[in-house]
Amino acid sequence: MIPEIDLTALPTARRREMLAAGREIEACYRALENGGLNIVGEVLRGQGDFVEIEHYPSDDVFDAETHGQYYYHAHRGNEDEHGHFHTFLRADGMPEGSRPIDYPLASDPWPTGDEAISHLVAISMDAWGYPMGLFCTNRWVTAEAWYPAEQVVAMLDLFAIGHAFPNWAVNRWITAMVRLYRPHIEALVRQRDAVIADRQEKLPDRDVFEDRDLDITTYLPIDVPSLIQRLETLEKL
């Protein structure tokens, strides 16, 4: 279980950054809703039939300046979930010194160079196109390189999608989601590593990063309006 985040224990500057991100999210929703649109619909627009496993947009969304990347798809048997976004940072955008772990048991080659991406967090979306949860995955799910939790945490503030493809409001929204839920994502990533370590201890001779019985390492249900309201209340104190 992910421990509940005590917002009052966070530095005031962090809470204000989160609140600013929350207001950005609200602005994105208003812009889309005024046109009868939603986040997921804009990612799928013009992409043909929605097919499980396929990436949307087909070549992912990549920011050449920040090296942030994301895509949307579906593959889980969750009846409440329509699909989810996977967010990444590519190696060329990472803090200096970032390096995947040394893992001699690797049974499948890990990506190298700028392809040595790190998964940050996935955002689960409901049937109406709004976020319902955050989760982290095992390595095989996203074919990433595996960076230790503290290095991934240092990458979170660097994730940003600053261009307008496939939709400017969607890109602003996903950037702001990582900002709004940064403390929660930190907890998810650290718990992710704890889950993997526990799995490795139980299966010392197995490549646990290719364990098909372990896909979702950590999950957190979320309520964006509620979190923004709590942050606004604290700001007034």
Side-chain angles (χ1 to χ4, degrees), residues 20-225:
R23 288 170 175 161
E24 175 83 345
I25 288 167
E26 291 176 328
C28 293
Y29 286 156
R30 284 195 300 271
L32 291 169
E33 290 165 359
N34 286 343
L37 309 172
N38 66 56
I39 298 291
V40 172
E42 288 306 286
V43 172
L44 300 181
R45 181 184 297 275
Q47 298 288 312
D49 294 336
F50 183 51
V51 180
E52 285 196 357
I53 303 298
E54 294 294 324
H55 291 198
Y56 296 90
S58 58
D59 293 323
D60 295 7
V61 177
F62 172 66
D63 188 311
E65 292 187 4
T66 67
H67 299 273
Q69 182 173 336
Y70 76 83
Y71 62 82
Y72 184 80
H73 75 166
H75 61 75
R76 298 170 63 199
N78 184 342
E79 293 182 359
D80 296 324
E81 184 194 77
H82 177 273
H84 48 267
F85 289 92
H86 285 291
T87 62
F88 304 88
L89 193 66
R90 298 180 73 87
D92 285 352
M94 294 176 184
E96 186 175 354
S98 298
R99 181 180 178 182
I101 66 169
D102 182 19
Y103 189 68
L105 292 175
S107 57
D108 188 63
W110 292 8
T112 59
D114 188 43
E115 299 292 324
I117 60 175
S118 176
H119 185 257
L120 303 178
V121 72
I123 306 172
S124 179
M125 306 296 286
D126 66 22
W128 295 271
Y130 293 97
M132 56 182 280
L134 303 172
F135 64 94
C136 291
T137 63
N138 199 353
R139 193 211 77 84
W140 67 266
V141 176
T142 53
E144 62 185 294
W146 193 268
Y147 295 81
E150 293 310 313
Q151 290 187 23
V152 178
V153 167
M155 298 175 195
L156 295 178
D157 287 338
L158 301 177
F159 175 80
I161 306 294
H163 57 64
F165 172 80
N167 179 288
W168 190 40
V170 172
N171 292 346
R172 291 171 60 193
W173 169 84
I174 201 165
T175 301
M177 282 291 294
V178 175
R179 302 284 188 272
L180 174 62
Y181 279 97
R182 190 186 190 286
H184 307 77
I185 298 171
E186 286 187 33
L188 283 166
V189 171
R190 292 190 176 105
Q191 184 64 21
R192 175 205 73 166
D193 277 20
V195 168
I196 289 292
D198 180 69
R199 194 77 156 193
Q200 192 69 76
E201 184 176 355
K202 293 175 179 176
L203 303 168
D205 299 321
R206 184 183 298 183
D207 180 357
V208 295
F209 291 110
E210 297 300 317
D211 186 347
R212 264 45 180 184
D213 292 328
L214 179 62
D215 55 352
I216 307 303
T217 56
T218 47
Y219 182 87
L220 178 70
I222 61 172
D223 183 336
V224 170

